[in-house]
Amino acid sequence: MASSTGDQSQAVRNGLRTKVLTLHSMNPRVRRVEYAVRGPIVQRALELEQELRQGVKKPFTEVIRANIGDAQAMGQRPITFLRQVLALCVNPDLLTSPSFPDDAKKRAERILQACGGHSLGAYSVSSGIQLIREDVAQYIERRDGGIPADPNNVFLSTGASDAIVTVLKLLVAGEGHTRTGVLIPIPQYPLYSATLAELGAVQVDYYLDEERAWALDVSELHRALCQARGHCHPRALCVINPGNPTGQVQTRECIEAVIRFAFEERLFLLADEVYQDNVYAAGSQFHSFKKVLMEMGPPYAGQQELASFHSTSKGYMGECGFRGGYVEVVNMDAAVQQQMLKLMSVRLCPPVPGQALLDLVVSPPAPTDPSFAQFQAERQAVLAELAAKAKLTEQVFNEAPGISCNPVQGAMYSFPRVQLPPRAVERAQELGLAPDMFFCLRLLEETGICVVPGSGFGQREGTYHFRMTILPPLEKLRLLLEKLSRFHAKFTLEYS
Amino acid sequence: MASSTGDQSQAVRNGLRTKVLTLHSMNPRVRRVEYAVRGPIVQRALELEQELRQGVKKPFTEVIRANIGDAQAMGQRPITFLRQVLALCVNPDLLTSPSFPDDAKKRAERILQACGGHSLGAYSVSSGIQLIREDVAQYIERRDGGIPADPNNVFLSTGASDAIVTVLKLLVAGEGHTRTGVLIPIPQYPLYSATLAELGAVQVDYYLDEERAWALDVSELHRALCQARGHCHPRALCVINPGNPTGQVQTRECIEAVIRFAFEERLFLLADEVYQDNVYAAGSQFHSFKKVLMEMGPPYAGQQELASFHSTSKGYMGECGFRGGYVEVVNMDAAVQQQMLKLMSVRLCPPVPGQALLDLVVSPPAPTDPSFAQFQAERQAVLAELAAKAKLTEQVFNEAPGISCNPVQGAMYSFPRVQLPPRAVERAQELGLAPDMFFCLRLLEETGICVVPGSGFGQREGTYHFRMTILPPLEKLRLLLEKLSRFHAKFTLEYS
């Protein structure tokens, strides 16, 4: 209030009154939110694009946005079957058109039958269309080797982000040193830090081990938890697998150890598994937390609370714009589950086109369907190219002096570590910038390559990284990686 | 914490440990959220539908959901042009098909050009596609008789609800008696009460005047504000025009008076104008808060902070499932506007199909376009039928003894007042139910008609109402209104 009054008198002196809503008087929690993936560097990229369009001369001809996991923006083509069925759902007059395969028509009719008024334009129930929840449950069962999934534990959402925020909201309580603490990996995907800031919860950092390919170490979880217990009430543990921004794929042993830890320490588990289809490295395999938990048997299987998140934005389809997603909750208290549904109902329903798309992703064409061959070919082509790009990224970066990059076992990003000369660090500090932000801004200005500084995800003090997607087309990516490596060499020379 | 420990020892006695997340340990603000439009009565309606499908005998053959403004679920057909363009956007292979009109193809190409990777599947910038923000600004200018609108003040959203929550989030600050208070109408649309509960803000009720067709009276705003100032810091005023659930359309004089009040009392104005196309009564006309504000000139026009919300879910199109919407902010502090964009960026972007749909709604076919005639005919047919249904609702209810209903000047609902006999009120209290909830539950069980009790929206103590949409097809609506009136007579007799 004091600062607001101060504004007021300043304004009165200027003959103008202050706004009701100012930086000083606004929600302080919102002010503290940061989201680097779309932060200042992306704002600057937008400005540069505008300048290029206006004919301003630059040392590059296009801005390459390697800041965000947005496959179709990077030129990946949508999967034909998905878009055929969606077009039929959007405009059912097309159901009589001979230019669509029969299985696409059947799928569209099946989805429309499950919609209010047989239209994508009606609200669905807040948890999502029942038929689609059932299809998701069947997908989970297949994925997990037959372990049952209950459609009533599946809630569709507006992308995975929406569901993650909803579950975190449920968990936040207490004041002062009883405030809810949530353990998140460092480096993390900044949705977590942003949401915890907004909710006023305590972010408890546990560090992934860069020396061991970003492995999650339970002794580090213990350390983080013990330190946190002095000033908050840790109640939840978030895991991102495959890792974002770090690209590691957790072993089954690691997942078991995390589950035992969560059980012993009474932590609600959030498993961000949106990259479950994006596993590239030989020897790596995706294990869902749900499957591992169930296979561990008592006392874990029947008691450990877990929420697992998935999305239509990643995988082979990359349909980010449709904002489809779901959460499966396991061992959640029935009354809390009712409360979650109530909370979701205030926002009415997730976008219905995104729900329809999710349905197709979880139940793609079967081998006997006319669309199967093409669907399979398109899917495999995308995944094979992603695997090649993951490998290429690791190779090129590791050949560059002063850059080291862990294997991109999965997901869509590399998170290489860069050596920055002390004089560059000093220069950044003079400018009031994090050193890796300074590096990334210079990179953007000189090459048009837009990547996100490691400081936006968190990293060990004194280390510097950036996150770069592996999504540009293969040959473009190769040029990009080489250009970036050369820029780093030049930058290092400049500040040595 | 105390109750959580209590749970724990109870559980230990039972040989089972408690959940980490229970009704006691969860976020208490979320627990306090209520949302009647999808509350217990709608849950019961779902169960009844399931029982009907299973062949359970009921005194009715179908459940009629008059609880929610969901036009297409009630059989309204989508507008052809909108769905044609959307299908072309979803599946651009159709751009070569002869079965789509040229203007639909041009519109689809224009939208796709503005999308990342020319695909609805890419993320957009968080404020929404720039081209669509420009089209929205032009729509606002046309609507407001040429008063300029700046695309940079337009932010697209996931339905209007999303934008309303975002603006409310910015406004919430303070603790104890400096907590932000927000004035909302009673009766209100429960998104407001639910959001304020979740954010921990203070809900400040001002009552609409049922005797004067739910008019908004500035002296009542004064009363509410004065009373609130003792225990919170009122900083915002929400107005819903046309009214939900109350259906009134505000006069220009009233809007001017509200703006003067907000200016003098330093309140940020939120104008929920999602029913701006839904005005039926002769003599009623929609005036946007923005237009009135700008025409009032200094000191109001250049200073009063305002956010105005609109949606693709209502109007003549009723495309609820696509979750399209926008907010225009006026006189918002530039730094706060940056903070709002940052907050939106954490959730990446509004669903792109909903953005595309919004574009078509704000720039429909021009008179020279091939699709114009059909578009215009479909639009007029929907609006004319809604006007007839608004009239019919008022007539039938006012003929029924013990029911009185203000004119449905706009929006999509009637909010009739019902007399409930004292013995019914006692019976409800014995059952622990609000009397109008008891009435609505009995109505549902005996007739299959699902309406929402007035207590879910707020009403003067001792008065009882329900909200019912005017959306069922005309002849069905007539039967429904008569059935409901007869049920009320029977119910009154039963408890007299």
Side-chain angles (χ1 to χ4, degrees):
Chain A
M1 291 303 105
S3 64
S4 161
T5 312
D7 288 352
Q8 183 73 34
S9 40
Q10 175 68 41
V12 167
R13 280 194 298 277
N14 298 344
L16 244 184
R17 55 183 221 166
T18 6
K19 307 275 184 192
V20 174
L21 189 57
T22 65
L23 211 48
H24 297 287
S25 71
M26 71 176 281
N27 188 335
R29 289 177 176 176
V30 171
R31 213 167 42 216
R32 281 194 290 269
V33 164
E34 286 179 28
Y35 187 69
V37 175
R38 293 215 157 171
I41 201 143
V42 185
Q43 285 295 92
R44 181 64 193 138
L46 270 170
E47 288 167 18
L48 286 171
E49 279 178 340
Q50 230 155 5
E51 292 175 23
L52 281 174
R53 270 197 300 274
Q54 291 159 357
V56 180
K57 196 101 182 113
K58 297 279 166 198
F60 48 88
T61 54
E62 66 168 331
V63 172
I64 296 165
R65 303 208 195 187
N67 60 297
I68 190 165
D70 189 355
Q72 296 192 20
M74 285 286 111
Q76 183 180 309
R77 303 230 338 141
I79 303 290
T80 305
F81 177 76
L82 303 184
R83 294 304 190 91
Q84 285 176 330
V85 178
L86 277 182
L88 291 161
C89 288
V90 164
N91 191 0
D93 291 350
L94 295 167
L95 285 165
T96 57
S97 154
S99 51
F100 289 85
D102 276 354
D103 56 340
K105 290 182 184 173
K106 278 197 196 112
R107 290 302 300 277
E109 279 167 346
R110 183 171 176 268
I111 290 168
L112 289 173
Q113 281 296 326
C115 292
H118 301 173
S119 171
L120 295 190
Y123 292 120
S124 75
V125 291
S126 302
S127 50
I129 294 171
Q130 186 61 24
L131 177 86
I132 301 179
R133 297 170 79 194
E134 288 164 11
D135 287 346
V136 169
Q138 282 178 24
Y139 159 79
I140 295 170
E141 284 190 20
R142 281 196 312 277
R143 180 197 71 187
D144 291 344
I147 291 168
D150 182 344
N152 293 314
N153 294 337
V154 171
F155 297 82
L156 310 192
S157 57
T158 307
S161 305
D162 173 42
I164 292 169
V165 172
T166 298
V167 173
L168 288 173
K169 269 185 193 171
L170 294 174
L171 281 157
V172 173
E175 289 294 329
H177 66 276
T178 69
R179 269 200 302 166
T180 291
V182 177
L183 280 84
I184 65 168
I186 298 294
Q188 54 120 11
Y189 174 59
L191 169 69
Y192 293 95
S193 51
T195 305
L196 296 176
E198 193 191 319
L199 294 173
V202 178
Q203 171 179 330
V204 179
D205 296 345
Y206 68 88
Y207 287 86
L208 301 175
D209 187 351
E210 184 165 17
E211 310 309 314
R212 296 194 302 119
W214 300 113
L216 194 170
D217 187 346
V218 171
S219 66
E220 168 60 11
L221 290 178
H222 272 290
R223 181 208 58 77
L225 187 72
C226 287
Q227 254 176 265
R229 283 218 162 113
H231 62 276
C232 70
H233 178 41
R235 302 178 69 200
L237 166 58
C238 300
V239 180
I240 311 176
N241 178 49
N244 174 5
T246 41
Q248 82 286 13
V249 177
Q250 290 182 334
T251 62
R252 196 194 154 92
E253 293 65 42
C254 172
I255 294 172
E256 280 187 21
V258 169
I259 291 172
R260 268 193 300 272
F261 171 80
F263 184 81
E264 282 155 17
E265 303 295 347
R266 294 187 52 70
L267 298 169
F268 190 107
L269 257 173
L270 287 86
D272 180 338
E273 299 177 318
V274 301
Y275 298 98
Q276 56 192 262
D277 287 330
N278 298 99
V279 175
Y280 317 116
S284 286
Q285 194 192 334
F286 172 74
H287 303 277
S288 78
F289 268 76
K290 161 90 177 291
K291 178 166 193 263
V292 175
L293 172 60
M294 289 302 143
E295 289 178 351
M296 285 169 73
Y300 310 100
Q303 296 191 44
Q304 176 59 44
E305 293 149 82
L306 168 69
S308 157
F309 306 93
H310 196 17
S311 165
T312 58
S313 302
K314 312 300 171 184
Y316 58 92
M317 52 285 176
E319 294 282 13
C320 309
F322 283 83
R323 316 303 300 121
Y326 76 80
V327 55
E328 182 193 17
V329 294
V330 178
N331 292 323
M332 186 182 255
D333 179 86
V336 172
Q337 206 159 317
Q338 278 300 315
Q339 293 283 320
M340 183 166 81
L341 181 59
K342 177 190 73 177
L343 187 60
M344 289 172 163
S345 75
V346 178
R347 300 290 276 275
L348 298 165
C349 71
V352 177
Q355 296 187 40
L357 185 70
L358 178 64
D359 189 60
L360 304 172
V361 168
V362 298
S363 56
T368 51
D369 290 337
S371 299
F372 179 76
Q374 188 183 353
F375 173 83
Q376 221 28 26
E378 291 177 358
R379 178 181 186 279
Q380 293 306 340
V382 172
L383 290 175
E385 194 181 338
L386 284 172
K389 294 193 278 198
K391 195 81 206 151
L392 177 72
T393 299
E394 180 196 342
Q395 277 170 354
V396 177
F397 278 144
N398 283 327
E399 282 163 13
I403 304 183
S404 58
C405 182
N406 270 316
V408 182
Q409 299 169 339
M412 294 184 167
Y413 317 96
S414 63
F415 195 68
R417 180 164 170 182
V418 280
Q419 306 295 330
L420 300 182
R423 276 191 47 226
V425 174
E426 280 161 33
R427 181 72 192 121
Q429 280 156 353
E430 284 164 28
L431 295 167
L433 293 171
D436 48 11
M437 172 65 93
F438 176 55
F439 173 78
C440 291
L441 276 172
R442 285 282 311 275
L443 175 72
L444 175 63
E445 297 289 343
E446 296 189 24
T447 66
I449 301 171
C450 179
V451 299
V452 189
S455 46
F457 304 90
Q459 54 200 353
R460 287 220 180 256
E461 183 76 26
T463 68
Y464 306 111
H465 301 78
F466 59 84
R467 187 185 84 162
M468 177 179 153
T469 72
I470 59 168
L471 295 173
L474 193 62
E475 282 319 302
K476 197 167 188 172
L477 179 66
R478 186 189 306 277
L479 294 174
L480 203 67
L481 293 165
E482 287 165 358
K483 206 168 172 183
L484 204 157
S485 303
R486 278 199 305 276
F487 173 80
H488 177 260
K490 179 174 157 274
F491 181 87
T492 303
L493 201 62
E494 183 183 339
Y495 287 98
S496 290
Chain B
M1 292 300 106
S3 64
S4 161
T5 313
D7 287 354
Q8 183 72 33
S9 41
Q10 174 68 39
V12 168
R13 280 196 297 280
N14 298 344
L16 244 184
R17 58 183 216 165
T18 6
K19 307 277 183 193
V20 174
L21 189 57
T22 65
L23 212 48
H24 297 287
S25 71
M26 70 176 281
N27 187 335
R29 287 176 178 176
V30 171
R31 213 168 41 216
R32 281 194 289 269
V33 165
E34 285 181 28
Y35 187 71
V37 173
R38 293 213 157 173
I41 202 145
V42 183
Q43 284 295 89
R44 181 62 191 140
L46 269 171
E47 288 168 17
L48 286 171
E49 279 178 341
Q50 228 154 9
E51 291 176 24
L52 281 175
R53 272 197 299 274
Q54 290 159 356
V56 180
K57 197 99 181 112
K58 297 278 167 199
F60 49 87
T61 54
E62 65 167 333
V63 172
I64 296 165
R65 301 206 194 188
N67 59 297
I68 190 164
D70 189 354
Q72 296 191 21
M74 285 285 111
Q76 184 182 309
R77 300 225 346 136
I79 302 290
T80 305
F81 177 75
L82 304 183
R83 294 305 190 90
Q84 284 177 331
V85 179
L86 277 181
L88 290 161
C89 288
V90 165
N91 191 0
D93 292 349
L94 294 168
L95 285 164
T96 56
S97 155
S99 50
F100 289 85
D102 276 354
D103 56 339
K105 289 182 186 174
K106 278 196 199 114
R107 290 302 302 274
E109 278 167 347
R110 183 171 177 270
I111 291 169
L112 289 174
Q113 282 296 328
C115 291
H118 301 174
S119 171
L120 295 190
Y123 292 120
S124 74
V125 291
S126 301
S127 48
I129 294 170
Q130 186 61 25
L131 177 86
I132 301 179
R133 297 171 79 195
E134 288 163 11
D135 287 346
V136 169
Q138 282 178 23
Y139 159 79
I140 295 171
E141 284 190 21
R142 281 197 312 278
R143 181 197 69 187
D144 291 345
I147 291 169
D150 183 343
N152 294 314
N153 293 337
V154 171
F155 297 82
L156 310 192
S157 57
T158 307
S161 305
D162 174 40
I164 292 170
V165 172
T166 299
V167 173
L168 287 173
K169 269 184 190 171
L170 295 174
L171 282 157
V172 173
E175 288 294 330
H177 67 275
T178 69
R179 269 200 302 167
T180 292
V182 178
L183 280 85
I184 65 169
I186 297 296
Q188 54 121 8
Y189 174 58
L191 169 68
Y192 292 94
S193 50
T195 305
L196 296 177
E198 194 191 319
L199 294 173
V202 178
Q203 173 181 330
V204 179
D205 296 344
Y206 67 88
Y207 287 85
L208 301 175
D209 187 351
E210 184 165 15
E211 309 309 314
R212 295 194 302 120
W214 299 113
L216 195 170
D217 187 346
V218 171
S219 66
E220 168 60 10
L221 289 179
H222 271 291
R223 181 209 58 77
L225 187 72
C226 288
Q227 254 175 265
R229 284 218 162 113
H231 63 277
C232 70
H233 178 40
R235 302 179 69 202
L237 166 58
C238 300
V239 179
I240 311 173
N241 177 48
N244 174 7
T246 39
Q248 82 285 14
V249 177
Q250 290 183 335
T251 62
R252 200 195 150 91
E253 293 66 42
C254 171
I255 294 172
E256 280 187 21
V258 169
I259 291 173
R260 269 193 299 273
F261 171 80
F263 183 82
E264 282 155 16
E265 304 295 348
R266 292 187 52 73
L267 298 170
F268 189 107
L269 257 174
L270 288 87
D272 180 338
E273 299 178 318
V274 301
Y275 297 99
Q276 57 192 263
D277 287 329
N278 299 99
V279 175
Y280 316 116
S284 286
Q285 193 192 336
F286 172 73
H287 303 277
S288 79
F289 267 76
K290 161 91 177 292
K291 179 167 194 261
V292 175
L293 172 60
M294 289 303 142
E295 289 178 350
M296 284 168 74
Y300 309 102
Q303 296 192 44
Q304 175 61 44
E305 294 149 81
L306 167 69
S308 158
F309 306 93
H310 196 17
S311 164
T312 58
S313 302
K314 311 300 171 186
Y316 58 92
M317 53 283 177
E319 293 282 13
C320 309
F322 283 82
R323 317 303 299 118
Y326 76 80
V327 56
E328 183 194 16
V329 294
V330 178
N331 293 322
M332 186 183 255
D333 179 85
V336 173
Q337 207 158 316
Q338 277 300 316
Q339 293 284 321
M340 184 166 81
L341 181 58
K342 178 190 74 177
L343 187 60
M344 288 173 164
S345 76
V346 179
R347 301 291 277 274
L348 299 167
C349 70
V352 178
Q355 296 186 41
L357 186 70
L358 177 65
D359 189 60
L360 305 171
V361 168
V362 297
S363 54
T368 51
D369 290 337
S371 299
F372 180 76
Q374 188 183 354
F375 173 83
Q376 224 24 29
E378 289 177 1
R379 178 179 186 278
Q380 293 307 342
V382 171
L383 290 175
E385 192 180 339
L386 284 172
K389 293 193 279 200
K391 195 82 207 149
L392 177 73
T393 300
E394 179 195 344
Q395 276 170 355
V396 177
F397 277 146
N398 283 326
E399 281 164 13
I403 304 183
S404 59
C405 182
N406 270 318
V408 182
Q409 297 168 339
M412 294 183 167
Y413 317 96
S414 63
F415 196 68
R417 179 164 172 184
V418 279
Q419 305 295 331
L420 299 182
R423 276 190 49 224
V425 174
E426 281 163 32
R427 182 71 191 121
Q429 280 155 354
E430 285 164 26
L431 295 167
L433 293 172
D436 48 11
M437 173 64 93
F438 177 55
F439 172 78
C440 291
L441 276 172
R442 284 283 311 275
L443 174 72
L444 175 64
E445 296 288 342
E446 295 189 24
T447 66
I449 301 171
C450 180
V451 298
V452 188
S455 45
F457 304 89
Q459 54 199 352
R460 288 219 178 256
E461 183 77 27
T463 69
Y464 307 111
H465 301 78
F466 59 85
R467 186 184 86 162
M468 178 179 153
T469 72
I470 60 167
L471 295 172
L474 192 63
E475 281 318 303
K476 199 168 186 172
L477 179 65
R478 187 190 304 279
L479 293 175
L480 203 68
L481 292 165
E482 287 165 0
K483 207 166 169 183
L484 204 158
S485 302
R486 277 198 306 277
F487 172 81
H488 177 260
K490 178 172 157 277
F491 181 87
T492 304
L493 200 65
E494 184 183 337
Y495 287 98
S496 292

